[in-house]
Amino acid sequence: MTVTSPANTSPATARATGSVGLNRITADDDLFFKLHSLYPNALVNQLAYRFDTAVDRDLLADWHAHLATGFIARRVRTTRFPIARAHWEPATESLPLRWSDTPIPESRVLDWFLEQAAVEFDPERGLVWELAGAPLESGGTVVTLVASHVACDGGAMMHAIVDSLDRLNRGQAPDRLAGAGRLVGPVAGAGRFAADLADARGQLRAVVRGIGAARRARGVSEPARNPRPAAPRLPHADTWQAAEAIVQLDLADWDAVAAAHGGTTNGLLIGVAVGLLGRSGRVADGAEVRVDIPHSMRQADDPRANATTGLPISVGYRAGERADLPAIRAALKAAGLAYRDPATIPPIQHLQPVQMLLPKVVLHRFARTAKAPECLCTNMGRTAQNIAVLGSHRARDVIMRPVVNPGPVELFRQVEVGVNLAFSCDDDTVTLVVTGGDPDRFPTRAALRELLAAEFADWGLTPRFW
């Protein structure tokens, strides 16, 4: 959904003309905001660093100050005006830097990263991100930035990080109007009533258009997902932590294997994910697996918190065989072309303006019966090298991942979480963050690693596990 005002309207200009240029929330923002009230902090993104050098706490405090006036320093300003959308305003407060003086052993780095993802956010106050750091026993440092999906998707988080680190590393002072924070939008002024009235009218027109487009596209369907098998049902505690693994591989080897099998970097990621899901017993031999691939719609100077759509494709799983990379390549191309034409976009996408009118109680009812992706593959590309430098320190490792926080084990079974793979790389190394969210197929981290090792071996790849 497009923003109702030009992205390059400056906060100063907008403030001077009342509420003109309010940065209205998108349908995705609205969905995540409403789900936050049902599953608080369940949907967050995390950036994590491992440095071989000692990063000074004061340097992190300086970075925190830049983030606090940057692109993710935003809060939801709701409205009581019927139908009009809420909008974003600059946040005036933030969660403080969390620093631990207790050194972390190397063997606990992954656990430390996971623990930092448990943050209590408040989107209406603008408490939507947290920066944390700790020394390592080896003399290095670990740093993590966690942000609510209400306030940013992966692209928005990257924009905030790149901008804040660039300003920090240039020795510039924190300045909302000089950095990416200027895009967040103005504080609503005296003209808010008129702006809300205009937005309400626009939303009604969007609803009418959306319903019409959905009717015209009613014959369009998406790939079906596989139902979760009822057995086995392993013994677990009431609260369960999804199995997580971080694995690194040589980028040259990854690209060579992809090319040798007629595929691409992205295709191999999907092929490994489908093979992992099949090996776990989650899908049967011969099944067609629905794979969801986030696709960024972000543009230059884009003020949106969430600007991502999902491209679903169907990939066959055959026991004992590697995934067909040329078929995956063709499916990705077809999905990309289909989402450029409103006539071939599924009806549910056209109904987003209708979704925004649903009250929380209705959305909560739908959410309790909704299903999670059975296979989610996020390719962030060569982004790690763009954000690896903090002051005079270059990170040894940069990790980016969508977080699956601990929760009731029955909830994981009910929403049928499958596997999530997040890919990023620099010039030399591929880093994969893998989450096995099915408690009966990926009961432990060790079980997930064993399945991953077997899948990589079939592709002739040598993984290095954390």
Side-chain angles (χ1 to χ4, degrees), residues 254-276:
W254 183 277
D255 287 343
V257 167
H261 292 279
T264 62
T265 295
N266 205 33
L268 181 54
L269 169 66
I270 294 167
V272 167
V274 170
L276 174 64

Side-chain angles (χ1 to χ4, degrees), residues 385-406:
Q385 60 196 16
N386 298 328
I387 56 172
V389 177
L390 175 60
S392 61
H393 305 272
R394 176 170 287 276
R396 168 180 152 191
D397 298 304
V398 181
I399 312 299
M400 289 169 283
R401 72 183 186 109
V403 174
V404 179
N405 275 319

